[in-house]
Amino acid sequence: METSKVIHAIYTDDDVLMNAVKTVRSEKHHIEEIYTPFPVHGLDKAMGLAPTRLAITAFLYGCLGLAVAIWMMDFIMIKDWPQDIGGKPSFSFLENLPAFVPIMFELTVFFSAHLMVITFYMRSRLWPFKSAENPDPRTTDDHFLMEITVRNNEEALATLLKSTGAVEINIVDKNEDAH
């Protein structure tokens, strides 16, 4: 049976937290999650997290938006319903390209932005009406919480965390919190 106990180490300073993360990782302990009231620069690297691939998806979504814009303008303005606007007939897409550039730009940004938000929410598992998973409400104000999985090493881990500057250490059973 897999253990569901975790240690919550609470810190009151982000610099102390950064040093604690480096110390805990150097001791080969796995940090499950860190809850902070604001973004802490360099925390992802200190935790050993892989770089995000969201920028790649943003580029792909932008390319999709550009392709949709080109197809849409070619179909609507050239093939389906060509119009004589200001004395300039729509004979071909390339002849009208300068007029289409703003539309292409806007749809590129629109697709990239909207699909990135949807991707971020899905990747973060943030569904509508989802209840918060924050283990301690103080982390939305002025405290930092490091969550570490316990593997029959509670005392040694608690001693290590105290030495890193944790102001409070709690051992929590995640199964009890889920019910």
Side-chain angles (χ1 to χ4, degrees):
M1 176 162 161
E2 189 175 316
T3 180
S4 62
K5 283 188 177 180
V6 293
I7 286 188
H8 288 169
I10 297 178
Y11 297 86
T12 55
D13 186 288
D14 57 332
D15 293 327
V16 174
L17 173 74
M18 284 293 288
N19 292 329
V21 167
K22 292 173 186 171
T23 303
V24 168
R25 288 214 3 112
S26 70
E27 295 288 327
K28 306 292 187 241
H29 295 289
H30 175 67
I31 300 171
E32 282 293 322
E33 188 65 73
I34 296 182
Y35 299 90
T36 64
F38 54 83
V40 178
H41 180 70
L43 187 59
D44 53 342
K45 287 186 180 130
M47 288 179 65
L49 299 177
T52 181
R53 294 179 301 236
L54 287 176
I56 296 168
T57 60
F59 176 75
L60 294 176
Y61 293 150
C63 290
L64 176 66
L66 180 63
V68 167
I70 290 170
W71 172 82
M72 181 187 74
M73 289 180 302
D74 184 54
F75 178 75
I76 293 171
M77 296 299 292
I78 307 300
K79 294 182 177 76
D80 186 44
W81 197 278
Q83 298 177 34
D84 187 353
I85 300 173
K88 300 176 184 175
S90 299
F91 291 125
S92 74
F93 183 81
L94 289 178
E95 287 176 328
N96 294 302
L97 187 61
F100 293 159
V101 168
I103 299 166
M104 292 187 297
F105 172 77
E106 292 298 332
L107 278 179
T108 300
V109 172
F110 179 86
F111 270 66
S112 184
H114 286 79
L115 292 175
M116 278 301 300
V117 168
I118 293 168
T119 301
F120 175 75
Y121 283 151
M122 289 175 61
R123 180 70 180 92
S124 301
R125 295 183 179 97
L126 293 173
W127 318 117
F129 311 110
K130 182 180 183 202
S131 59
E133 294 179 4
N134 192 352
D136 192 329
R138 294 177 293 177
T139 60
T140 61
D141 188 23
D142 61 350
H143 285 68
F144 304 85
L145 187 142
M146 183 188 316
E147 185 176 275
I148 305 170
T149 305
V150 175
R151 294 186 177 90
N152 297 325
N153 57 352
E154 293 175 24
E155 293 82 19
L157 194 51
T159 305
L160 173 67
L161 292 169
K162 264 293 192 212
S163 71
T164 62
V167 295
E168 185 180 324
I169 297 174
N170 302 314
I171 298 173
V172 179
D173 190 353
K174 284 193 134 188
N175 285 341
E176 290 176 11
D177 286 349
H179 300 298

